[in-house]
Amino acid sequence: MENLQNYEKAGQIAREVLEYGKSLIKKDASLLDVTKKVEAKIFELNAKPAFPVQISMNDIAAHYCAEPDDKTVFSDQLVSLDVGVHVDGFIGDNACTVDLSEKNKELVEASRKALDNAIKVIQVGTTLSEIGKTIGETIESYGFKPVRNLSGHGLDEYNIHCPPTVPNFDTKDETQLEKGQAIAIEPFATNGIGLIHEKGLPDVFSITEARSVRIEFVRQILNRIDKFNGLPFAKRWLSEQFSLAKVNLALSQFKKLGILKEYPPLVEKSNGLVSQAEHSLLVDDKVKVLTEIS
Ligand code: MN
Ligand code: MN
């Protein structure tokens, strides 16, 4: 099965890149520099980013992406690294959390253990409710809360988020996993209330439908975005080729046309710290963890 080979390849590269990125997250390193190195590694290994590398810190659960002139320097933050790569559209998505303060080991362990336990119950026919219950109960056993409005997801060709939505708590959803599904499981654990909201300006976007534009440079930017095959992209990627002023203008045009999807940072509502762990899996008679080192 050619799909399986592509999924396996994407998964292995996603893992290798994640481990590489993890090794770079150290006190005094720059977030922008680490992001660029991690993205370069993806290309070096003959894959492409399925979305811009995200490095979210402390109470930011997800979707923080280095700005073109990002000045963040690592010191004692809780740092989550989320890496997605694709090989011909087949995606491997995985994440881990590094605790630079060394004061949040349990919080990091909670999401990681929840992921391990979820993987143990997954087989063809497992209900979403059962997965959510396993994740939620594991995180609670550490005295933390799962983030209830973030979830895992299905993976499809050039599609990072498709059904099923894989919950991080028991939603009583009796939908069963089906043979052949590729899914990402991603528990988030927090010492806050367990809810996130969108906060701050987005640096990650995608274009939701084709549209013709009149202004030449806006068209050039749209042509550049077309090469991402509908997958999310970073403002930073465009600003390597076009001036930031032009990029901002083009983005506002796309927004006016109603074809721009924005992904602002997702911040824990009570500003609790958030850890994340993630693997991509292929549901089969023998479940395969695609982003595990084989
Ligand atoms: Mn991810
Ligand atoms: Mn994911």
Side-chain angles (χ1 to χ4, degrees):
M1 181 180 153
E2 200 186 335
N3 292 5
L4 177 63
Q5 279 178 0
N6 281 329
Y7 269 125
E8 284 180 337
K9 195 172 164 196
Q12 290 303 300
I13 294 171
R15 191 65 199 182
E16 191 174 337
V17 174
L18 188 76
E19 292 296 331
Y20 170 69
K22 195 177 168 185
S23 76
L24 300 177
I25 297 173
K26 294 210 167 88
K27 196 175 180 308
D28 297 330
S30 122
L31 183 144
L32 179 60
D33 188 45
V34 171
T35 303
K36 285 181 173 174
K37 282 181 176 159
V38 175
E39 287 178 349
K41 191 72 169 178
I42 297 173
F43 289 101
E44 203 181 300
L45 296 173
N46 295 316
K48 288 179 178 164
F51 52 82
V53 166
Q54 327 252 295
I55 302 183
S56 305
M57 292 167 299
N58 298 335
D59 59 343
I60 307 177
H63 294 179
Y64 185 87
C65 184
E67 295 167 26
D69 61 346
D70 206 293
K71 300 280 190 288
T72 309
V73 173
F74 296 124
S75 54
D76 62 350
Q77 300 95 335
L78 184 68
V79 185
S80 292
L81 171 65
D82 197 336
V83 172
V85 315
H86 79 88
V87 173
D88 296 332
F90 293 89
I91 297 168
D93 183 9
N94 63 6
C96 67
T97 298
V98 179
D99 170 29
L100 292 173
S101 75
E102 294 186 35
K103 288 177 190 156
N104 299 296
K105 280 188 178 146
E106 292 277 294
L107 187 58
V108 173
E109 187 58 24
S111 51
R112 201 159 49 198
K113 191 75 184 168
L115 178 60
D116 288 349
N117 287 347
I119 289 170
K120 280 182 201 153
V121 302
I122 288 175
Q123 53 183 354
V124 177
T126 303
T127 64
L128 299 176
S129 160
E130 197 179 344
I131 300 170
K133 187 170 190 280
T134 304
I135 290 173
E137 284 180 354
T138 304
I139 291 172
E140 279 160 11
S141 76
Y142 284 84
F144 300 115
K145 287 197 167 76
V147 176
R148 299 191 301 283
N149 55 350
L150 282 175
S151 42
H153 47 92
L155 295 163
D156 207 351
E157 279 180 75
Y158 291 108
N159 186 355
I160 184 83
H161 285 139
C162 71
T165 295
V166 185
N168 288 326
F169 67 108
D170 187 1
T171 52
K172 313 286 179 195
D173 185 339
E174 295 302 313
T175 308
Q176 296 181 343
L177 293 181
E178 292 166 27
K179 186 169 166 163
Q181 274 178 332
I183 56 169
I185 306 291
E186 48 184 312
F188 291 81
T190 181
N191 59 7
I193 60 170
L195 288 170
I196 51 92
H197 60 163
E198 296 183 341
K199 195 178 174 190
L201 295 173
D203 275 279
V204 179
F205 306 88
S206 62
I207 294 292
T208 53
E209 58 184 288
R211 214 36 96 75
S212 61
V213 288
R214 246 175 296 166
I215 308 168
E216 179 57 23
F217 79 83
V218 179
R219 186 160 46 226
Q220 285 173 2
I221 290 176
L222 201 53
N223 286 342
R224 176 76 190 96
I225 293 170
D226 275 346
K227 306 238 170 3
F228 307 132
N229 290 92
L231 291 167
F233 59 88
K235 185 192 277 191
R236 185 168 38 82
W237 294 356
L238 301 176
S239 69
E240 282 163 9
Q241 211 177 324
F242 304 92
S243 74
L244 201 52
K246 282 184 175 175
V247 171
N248 284 332
L249 219 141
L251 291 172
S252 67
Q253 289 272 317
F254 303 148
K255 194 169 178 176
K256 256 185 237 160
L257 288 167
I259 60 168
L260 187 72
K261 183 165 166 53
E262 303 175 291
Y263 303 85
L266 303 174
V267 180
E268 213 282 330
K269 273 188 169 176
S270 64
N271 300 109
L273 296 169
V274 183
S275 73
Q276 177 197 15
E278 180 178 29
H279 268 310
S280 295
L281 286 75
L282 195 71
V283 181
D284 206 339
D285 293 331
K286 192 176 182 312
V287 172
K288 178 148 183 70
V289 183
L290 297 163
T291 47
E292 196 167 59
I293 291 165
S294 58

